[in-house]
Amino acid sequence: MSRRIVIVGNGPAGHRLAELLSARAPDADVTIVGEESVPAYNRVLLPSVLAGRLATQATYLARHPEGSVRVLTGSGWSPSTGTGGRCVPARA
């Protein structure tokens, strides 16, 4: 059985951790959960976007190879116990 790992946070640190885990444990089922519905981005570059020196897309983080990491975004996602390790919509 492969290991299931959930990373809470769809920012640069979460994606770097997912990258490292995928390389060191390729059999692991890695999922990133984030509240924002936009693609992961580098927040340090936001002043350059606001100043008009960079396009918004230039801040997006690189995507993971197909099938290596699952990313769940948008409000309402939370890891839940009693669901077999799956991430399910949070109850209101």
Side-chain angles (χ1 to χ4, degrees):
M1 179 194 282
S2 66
R3 288 180 268 178
R4 294 180 179 163
I5 302 168
V6 175
I7 300 168
V8 178
N10 190 27
H15 280 267
R16 180 67 178 135
L17 177 58
E19 183 180 301
L20 291 171
L21 290 169
S22 293
R24 294 185 180 166
D27 63 323
D29 179 11
V30 179
T31 302
I32 298 173
V33 178
E35 185 175 14
E36 295 182 15
S37 59
V38 296
Y41 59 95
N42 184 335
R43 287 138 176 85
V44 174
L45 298 176
L46 288 180
S48 295
V49 171
L50 295 173
R53 292 190 299 268
L54 276 179
T56 302
Q57 294 83 355
T59 67
Y60 293 165
L61 300 179
R63 294 188 179 267
H64 299 279
E66 186 67 33
S68 65
V69 175
R70 182 179 6 191
V71 180
L72 302 176
T73 60
S75 63
W77 288 101
S78 68
S80 177
T81 57
T83 60
R86 293 176 291 129
C87 287
V88 298
R91 293 190 181 109

